[in-house]
Amino acid sequence: NLVNSNAISNIFEYVAPIAGIPQGNYEPIIQLTAPTKLQMAIIDGAYVPNDKTKLEFELAGSKNDLNLFSDIDDENNNGFAGKLTIERKIIQRDSSWNLNAFLDGDYVEKNFKTIERLYRIEFDRDWNLENPLGNQNIFSAGINLNHHKKGIINYNYEHLEFSENYNGNRHVLNSDLLLNKFRIATKSSFLKSSSETLQSDFLRLSARILYDLKKGWVGTKTSLENNQLEDKISKLLTGNSQKFNSYEVYSGIGDSTNVFVELGYKYRINDSLKNGKLERVNNSNTYYLKSKLINSPKTKLSIHANYRELSYKNDSIENEKSLNGRVLYNQNLFNQFINFNTVFEINSGVVPQQDFTYVEVDEGQGYYTWIDYNENGIQELNEFEIAQFQDQANFVKILLPNQVFIKTEQNKWSSSLTINPNSWIDSGNSLKKII
C-alpha cells in the first residue's frame, strides 16, 4: 500500500494476503515495453477525361503490430482506407462568375492507423466527437462560385458516420468578396449530430466587413459560437457546452503593409454551464492599438497594446483589468556596421505554479546533494541543498507539470547591440580589411 507521498518518490509497505486474497493496491513489478511497428502503403492517382471533369483517388493500407514478440491478437493489425474526389466545372467564363461542383468520399476502417494526422487538428471539436467507435465514413458535396475580381462563395454539405455510435450532418458556408471598396469575408457552419449518449447542435460564425478609404480603412467584425451537447437520458447539457458572442469595430490610417496606425474596440459575452443551462458568466471590453510608426531600411518602430476589462456576473468574483503591450525598435547605423535592437513588453496573465522533484544522476553530474537530516533513510524535499563540492553533486531538480496557475504581471525589457565588421571585408580601406 502507498504510505508516504511527501518524499521525492512514493513509499510503499508490504501488506500480507488474507486467505490468499491480496490486500494491497500495488505490486512490485516493472511492465516491459514491447517493440511495435506501424507500416503504411499508399496508392493514389488522378484521371482527367476532359477539361471540365477531374477524378482523384487514394487507397491506403496499414499494418499496426503492438507487440512484435507475440502473435496473439494479431487479427486486428491490418486496416484499410480509401478516398474518392470528383470535381466538375459547370460554368466556365473568363470575365464572369464560374461555378464548380464537387463530391468527396472517405472510408476509414476502424483498424486503420496513420503515421501522421489524417484530418485537421480541430476535427474532433468540429464534429463534437467523444470516443467514436467503428468504421468511419465521410461524405461531402458542394459548389464553389468564384470570380477573378470579385472573390469566391463556397458551400459544403458534410456527413460523418461511425458505424457503431455516431451520426452527424454539417453545413459550411464561406465567402471572401471584394465589392467596390467593401471587403466582405465570412466563415460559418452548423452541425447537428447524434451519438450513443449525446445529441448536439453547434453553430459557428465569423464575419468581417472592411471599407477601404483613400488613406485608411474602417471595419467591423463579429463572431459567435453556440455549442449545446445534451445527454439523451437526463436531457441536461454536458460540461462541454458553451456559448459566446463577440463584436468589434476598428479603424486605421496609412498602409497596413508599411506605415500605419489602427485602433479598435471589442465587446465579448461569455456563457457557460450553470444549473444545467447556459448562462452569462462574464463580459469583457477590450481596447487595442496596432501600429508600425517607422518602417525604413535603417529604422523600424512598432507598438502594439491592448487593455481589457473583464466583468463577472457573480458579484463575489472580483473584476479583472489587464494590459498587454509590446514596443519594438530596431536601428542600423553606418551601413549595418552597428545594429541596435530593443524590445519592451508588458504582460498580464497567469503562470503555472512550479512543483518539482529531485532525480539522481551520475556522480558529479548534478547540482544538488542529499543530506539525511532526520536519519530515516527517506529522501525528503527539504533535505536537498546545493552541493558545496562537485563530487557530491548527484541530483538535479526536475519541474513537474500541474494545473495550478497564479496571476502575474510582467515587465520585460531586452536590448542588444551588434557590431558587424564583416561589412568591411569588401572595403577599399586596407585598415578596415585587417580589422
Side-chain angles (χ1 to χ4, degrees):
N1 276 331
L2 181 66
V3 295
N4 191 332
S5 60
N6 294 325
I8 67 168
S9 60
N10 294 332
I11 297 174
F12 303 86
E13 69 174 1
Y14 173 74
V15 181
I18 299 178
I21 301 175
Q23 300 297 303
N25 296 314
Y26 303 87
E27 57 180 333
I29 63 172
I30 298 176
Q31 184 173 351
L32 300 180
T33 302
T36 65
K37 181 169 67 174
L38 175 57
Q39 295 173 301
M40 286 186 63
I42 303 171
I43 299 175
D44 57 36
Y47 173 57
V48 185
N50 53 60
D51 60 352
K52 291 186 176 182
T53 307
K54 183 179 181 180
L55 289 81
E56 295 180 319
F57 70 89
E58 185 173 346
L59 304 174
S62 69
K63 187 177 183 65
N64 183 38
D65 194 337
L66 299 178
N67 187 349
L68 294 179
F69 288 157
S70 172
D71 296 329
I72 300 174
D73 292 334
D74 277 355
E75 61 274 5
N76 62 351
N77 287 0
N78 299 328
F80 169 79
K83 180 181 182 68
L84 176 64
T85 302
I86 303 174
E87 298 179 2
R88 175 72 177 179
K89 295 178 180 178
I90 300 175
I91 301 175
Q92 193 173 10
R93 298 173 181 172
D94 293 336
S95 59
S96 183
W97 288 93
N98 297 318
L99 179 63
N100 303 325
F102 70 89
L103 295 172
D104 190 288
D106 286 14
Y107 173 77
V108 182
E109 193 181 16
K110 64 179 180 180
N111 294 327
F112 179 76
K113 302 295 180 183
T114 59
I115 295 175
E116 297 179 343
R117 184 184 298 276
L118 191 60
Y119 298 106
R120 57 189 178 272
I121 195 168
E122 286 279 306
F123 183 81
D124 286 1
R125 183 172 184 267
D126 288 342
W127 290 95
N128 278 333
L129 295 178
E130 292 185 5
N131 301 317
L133 299 173
N135 301 328
Q136 172 186 306
N137 289 282
I138 300 181
F139 169 80
S140 63
I143 56 173
N144 182 25
L145 193 63
N146 65 82
H147 191 285
H148 69 289
K149 289 184 178 180
K150 296 182 180 180
I152 63 170
I153 300 175
N154 177 266
Y155 167 76
N156 292 357
Y157 166 74
E158 301 174 346
H159 173 76
L160 173 63
E161 177 183 339
F162 284 85
S163 58
E164 297 183 21
N165 66 350
Y166 181 88
N167 190 297
N169 296 285
R170 189 166 178 257
H171 303 270
V172 180
L173 178 63
N174 297 325
S175 67
D176 190 356
L177 301 173
L178 183 60
L179 307 175
N180 294 324
K181 293 186 177 182
F182 284 96
R183 182 72 178 266
I184 303 172
T186 63
K187 291 183 178 181
S188 60
S189 66
F190 177 72
L191 166 70
K192 195 171 187 66
S193 67
S194 176
S195 65
E196 189 174 6
T197 58
L198 300 174
Q199 59 185 19
S200 73
D201 294 322
F202 189 6
L203 173 65
R204 303 168 92 172
L205 171 65
S206 175
R208 180 186 67 179
I209 301 176
L210 178 69
Y211 182 74
D212 188 14
L213 303 171
K214 270 190 175 182
K215 296 183 179 180
W217 61 90
V218 294
T220 180
K221 298 179 185 178
T222 183
S223 59
L224 64 90
E225 283 191 12
N226 187 354
N227 191 10
Q228 301 191 23
L229 292 91
E230 182 182 279
D231 187 279
K232 288 184 174 181
I233 299 176
S234 66
K235 302 300 181 181
L236 297 176
L237 297 179
T238 69
N240 289 331
S241 302
Q242 58 90 24
K243 178 182 177 182
F244 79 82
N245 293 275
S246 175
Y247 311 95
E248 181 178 345
V249 292
Y250 59 95
S251 179
I253 186 171
D255 182 354
S256 60
T257 63
N258 192 9
V259 177
F260 73 95
V261 175
E262 180 179 291
L263 295 171
Y265 165 74
K266 181 191 292 185
Y267 177 69
R268 174 165 168 147
I269 303 169
N270 295 309
D271 293 1
S272 189
L273 194 64
K274 188 176 181 181
N275 299 323
K277 298 180 180 180
L278 286 176
E279 296 183 3
R280 177 81 53 83
V281 291
N282 59 44
N283 61 271
S284 63
N285 296 280
T286 303
Y287 309 86
Y288 65 84
L289 164 69
K290 301 177 183 178
S291 68
K292 189 176 287 185
L293 302 179
I294 304 175
N295 188 25
S296 68
K298 292 185 177 181
T299 307
K300 298 182 185 298
L301 173 63
S302 62
I303 300 175
H304 300 266
N306 118 19
Y307 174 73
R308 187 180 72 159
E309 297 176 341
L310 182 63
S311 302
Y312 290 93
K313 189 175 181 182
N314 188 343
D315 295 334
S316 63
I317 303 178
E318 185 179 355
N319 295 335
E320 299 178 10
K321 297 180 180 181
S322 60
L323 175 65
N324 295 278
R326 172 182 289 184
V327 179
L328 299 97
Y329 176 70
N330 182 270
Q331 179 72 58
N332 286 316
L333 301 172
F334 309 117
N335 195 24
Q336 296 188 347
F337 177 72
I338 295 177
N339 178 270
F340 178 69
N341 187 72
T342 296
V343 179
F344 178 70
E345 293 179 313
I346 301 173
N347 294 312
S348 299
V350 294
V351 295
Q353 178 176 297
Q354 293 296 345
D355 293 334
F356 58 89
T357 186
Y358 294 90
V359 176
E360 189 170 4
V361 295
D362 294 338
E363 185 174 322
Q365 300 299 309
Y367 192 69
Y368 296 87
T369 185
W370 171 50
I371 303 175
D372 190 7
Y373 288 114
N374 54 16
E375 298 182 352
N376 63 354
I378 299 174
Q379 296 175 353
E380 300 178 47
L381 289 176
N382 60 354
E383 295 180 339
F384 288 87
E385 297 182 357
I386 297 176
Q388 299 297 318
F389 303 98
Q390 189 62 40
D391 62 322
Q392 298 176 351
N394 301 335
F395 293 85
V396 294
K397 181 188 287 188
I398 302 296
L399 298 179
L400 302 175
N402 64 60
Q403 299 296 321
V404 180
F405 293 89
I406 303 172
K407 291 182 180 180
T408 181
E409 296 182 1
Q410 300 179 12
N411 296 322
K412 179 181 179 181
W413 176 78
S414 61
S415 186
S416 64
L417 179 67
T418 303
I419 301 175
N420 181 29
N422 189 58
S423 61
W424 287 351
I425 289 178
D426 297 328
S427 172
N429 187 309
S430 59
L431 178 59
K432 288 185 175 180
K433 286 185 177 181
I434 293 173
I435 294 177

